Amino acid sequence: MKNILVIGSTGQIGSELTVELRKRYGNEHVVAGYIPGAEPTGELKETGPSVIADVTDRQSIELAVRKHKIDTIYNLAALLSVVAESRPAMAWKIGIDGLWNVLEVAREHHCAVFTPSSIGSFGLSTPHVKTPQDTVQRPSTMYGVTKVTTELLSDYYHTKYGVDTRAVRFPGIISNVTPPGGGTTDYAVDIYYAAVKGEQFVCPVKAGTYMDMMYMPDALNAAISLMEADPTRLIHRNAFNIASMSFDPEEIYAAIKKIRPEFEMVYQIDPVKQAIADSWPDSLDDTCARLEWDWCPKYDLETMTVDMLEKLELKLKK
Ligand code: AKB
């Protein structure tokens, strides 16, 4: 049985990934790593062990790994794209110095490591439609710079030291549990909250701005399936394109309006978010993930919208 440490367990992806991993591997085998001031609460706290694991403090990771006999680390510590633009030094410190610490501990203690990359690892010079797995990666954002570096450093630790590093390039992740914070794709979560609260939604990116998005259950499945994949089938490692849907604000608005005809959206463009979104692909080609580890998403825009609205309705009623 694996012993897993989730670093960043209280964040948008971490909070749901930790609970899902506990369902699959047993509560005692999945440790929620957190930084002081962001302690786990609720289900996350109640269902299993937790420990301080701050990527900027190598000793805390090492102690957590030793104490819980960890063999697999999901490293989700990062600043998202918009925040990273306003705090580039912090983005580097967490994303890259932090990754270095995680990889060093993994090397010494023989742990497998998952550190996600993103659609943000691409830039304006990348082919934007059906972006290939192996292509130009010259991002113009600090977030993108840290994500390309994450991919390279993770591959380096695999080829040089044999550390079992694997990753996907996450699109915008949509969920109804923990809200994201500081991302360019956050609008695709916020729009559902506005619809359920009966509020008009103010969209920060223009009609016609396409980006890849994914519903959380598929994102969790992607991370776990890749870490479970047969290594002899993996030609790539850091990081795989994965895709399930690509839409612009008009399309998500129309999908919500089908269920809630009274819902209204207006535009007020945020120039920072728009510039970042314009530099990212419209859609990714995920053929390699499908071939090398049988990646196959379940949700599209319609099925996700039905589920999001139902779950948020229940959540916001409480
Ligand atoms: C962001 O918008 O910064 C993230 C991402 C696509 O990596 N959600």
Side-chain angles (χ1 to χ4, degrees):
M1 182 55 89
K2 281 182 191 295
N3 287 321
I4 299 170
L5 172 65
V6 180
I7 297 178
S9 70
T10 58
Q12 188 208 12
I13 299 176
S15 57
E16 289 188 63
L17 180 65
T18 307
V19 171
E20 183 60 31
L21 287 166
R22 283 178 178 161
K23 282 185 195 145
R24 298 194 194 198
Y25 298 101
N27 289 349
E28 293 312 309
H29 293 278
V30 182
V31 185
Y34 65 93
I35 50 169
E39 286 80 6
T41 55
E43 190 182 11
L44 198 56
K45 182 177 174 180
E46 284 146 25
T47 54
S50 49
V51 70
I52 291 180
D54 178 351
V55 286
T56 64
D57 170 10
R58 188 183 305 181
Q59 214 192 353
S60 73
I61 304 166
E62 179 137 30
L63 283 174
V65 164
R66 277 184 197 279
K67 179 170 175 204
H68 295 278
K69 301 188 169 42
I70 297 298
D71 52 49
T72 304
I73 301 173
Y74 286 82
N75 169 27
L76 302 173
L79 295 188
L80 291 186
S81 53
V82 178
V83 195
E85 278 312 279
S86 59
R87 304 180 68 194
M90 185 56 82
W92 185 269
K93 187 173 174 194
I94 294 173
I96 303 307
D97 296 341
L99 172 63
W100 191 283
N101 287 334
V102 171
L103 290 171
E104 272 300 291
V105 173
R107 180 170 73 83
E108 281 162 18
H109 296 270
H110 310 289
C111 302
V113 182
F114 175 89
T115 309
S117 182
S118 158
I119 53 172
S121 68
F122 298 111
L124 279 167
S125 51
T126 301
H128 270 226
V129 177
K130 287 273 168 205
T131 300
Q133 171 67 38
D134 300 309
T135 186
V136 183
Q137 288 182 281
R138 304 287 292 178
S140 49
T141 61
M142 178 48 70
Y143 183 64
V145 170
T146 64
K147 288 302 179 190
V148 175
T149 312
T150 294
E151 294 188 11
L152 293 173
L153 201 56
S154 299
D155 268 348
Y156 180 82
Y157 266 72
H158 175 63
T159 48
K160 179 94 176 175
Y161 303 119
V163 178
D164 186 1
T165 55
R166 307 179 188 192
V168 296
R169 295 179 180 133
F170 275 137
I173 307 296
I174 296 165
S175 80
N176 46 62
V177 179
T178 308
T184 306
T185 57
D186 293 7
Y187 93 87
V189 177
D190 299 341
I191 193 171
Y192 287 107
Y193 278 84
V196 172
K197 286 180 185 160
E199 293 168 358
Q200 183 188 60
F201 181 62
V202 182
C203 185
V205 291
K206 287 183 205 152
T209 307
Y210 280 84
M211 286 184 278
D212 260 312
M213 303 278 181
M214 186 171 289
Y215 200 28
M216 185 64 93
D218 280 330
L220 301 181
N221 215 26
I224 299 170
S225 307
L226 175 57
M227 292 309 279
E228 287 287 351
D230 173 359
T232 63
R233 287 181 62 199
L234 299 182
I235 298 162
H236 299 85
R237 277 183 170 266
N238 301 282
F240 282 92
N241 282 1
I242 52 169
S244 62
M245 62 186 95
S246 166
F247 54 75
D248 83 326
E250 290 295 315
E251 289 177 13
I252 188 171
Y253 176 49
I256 296 173
K257 241 178 132 59
K258 248 194 221 168
I259 304 170
R260 299 197 161 235
E262 73 290 354
F263 180 50
E264 285 193 2
M265 178 173 85
V266 293
Y267 289 95
Q268 193 177 321
I269 306 310
D270 176 326
V272 174
K273 290 185 181 170
Q274 187 64 52
I276 296 175
D278 287 343
S279 75
W280 289 356
D282 292 357
S283 60
L284 299 190
D285 177 347
D286 61 359
T287 308
C288 292
R290 289 175 186 266
L291 288 175
E292 294 174 39
W293 47 280
D294 307 321
W295 157 244
C296 186
K298 290 199 173 67
Y299 285 89
D300 61 15
L301 178 56
E302 273 65 43
T303 49
M304 174 180 77
T305 299
V306 170
D307 202 55
M308 273 298 281
L309 293 175
E310 266 175 31
K311 299 257 167 64
L312 280 182
E313 190 89 53
L314 289 173
K315 178 177 166 174
L316 298 180
K317 246 192 213 151
K318 279 181 194 163

